[in-house]
Amino acid sequence: MSRKFLVVSALVLASALTACGGGDDKNDENKKKQAELRAWAAKVCAVDVTARIDESRVALADVGKVIPNEQPATLRTRLAADISRLADADNALADAIDKAGIPAVADGATLRTSVVAELRNAAKGWAGIQAKVEGLTIEKQNEFADGLRSLNPEIDGLRASSHTALDRLHRGEAGKALAAVPGCAAGKPDAIPTTPVTSAPTKSTTPSAGASSPAPDKSTSPSASSTGSTAPSSPPPSAGAESSSAPPTGTAPAG
């Protein structure tokens, strides 16, 4: 056997071993990535976070609830509390995503930063809506209804913003990791659902003798219609999530 043949054989064997080793390294790297993603998703979908998202869904549904003979003061307090839950949901989800670290996906750092920023902005927006609701006058029924109706565009915009953030988080490998966590509402873009908001309560009046009762006021409270919003229909959050937020949903949320 020639020396040249031995050298060539050794080189071929070395190349084969290197190729096999490279394959194992790639598999190990992929397993490590998947393990990191599972750990990340578990942090994002912590029990307290998903509980806030569930609360936001309830709150957003409550915003659309019709309560016969509910007085303006009572409605104002109820709506303010619901909107506060939407803000809490978006903030809780943003905190969880921030603390979970960078997900092991392409552009993971950008994904984390953008989603956290959008959820925090939505939470601030819900807080602003809450303050406006609490500041509405209830002395005159028409003015109260008009004030609620004027908040429609902001509410729709916040819902859309929360949904956009959750939808972005739910895509690709990160979304798959979130979906694999049992009960992970935070990973679903429908965490901030679309729920129609109902009419404001009417102020009862006592008709004078021989006079007919005036027609009830049909003015509506803040609309949560999906017009101009990317949020899908669902049961808020927040949500809102949306809750809150509505919410966010995201993972919404609330909103």
Side-chain angles (χ1 to χ4, degrees), residues 30-51:
N30 185 58
K31 289 179 180 179
K32 180 181 178 182
K33 175 182 176 181
Q34 293 304 315
E36 290 176 350
L37 273 175
R38 286 194 295 271
W40 171 82
K43 291 178 181 178
V44 172
C45 299
V47 175
D48 59 330
V49 177
T50 54

Side-chain angles (χ1 to χ4, degrees), residues 14-96:
S15 297
L17 290 174
T18 300
C20 290
D24 289 341
D25 289 344
K26 187 174 182 179
N27 288 335
D28 290 343
E29 182 179 345
N30 185 58
K31 289 179 180 179
K32 180 181 178 182
K33 175 182 176 181
Q34 293 304 315
E36 290 176 350
L37 273 175
R38 286 194 295 271
W40 171 82
K43 291 178 181 178
V44 172
C45 299
V47 175
D48 59 330
V49 177
T50 54
R52 288 290 181 86
I53 296 297
D54 289 341
E55 286 177 10
S56 70
R57 289 181 176 185
V58 173
L60 194 57
D62 186 65
V63 168
K65 185 185 298 182
V66 176
I67 299 181
N69 301 319
E70 184 176 34
Q71 296 302 305
T74 305
L75 173 59
R76 182 175 63 181
T77 298
R78 181 165 66 86
L79 289 178
D82 289 336
I83 293 170
S84 176
R85 292 188 184 96
L86 291 170
D88 288 345
D90 279 344
N91 268 326
L93 185 53
D95 288 342

Side-chain angles (χ1 to χ4, degrees), residues 221-248:
S221 60
S223 171
S225 67
S226 57
T227 305
S229 170
T230 58
S233 296
S234 92
S238 194
E242 154 152 58
S243 145
S244 196
S245 32

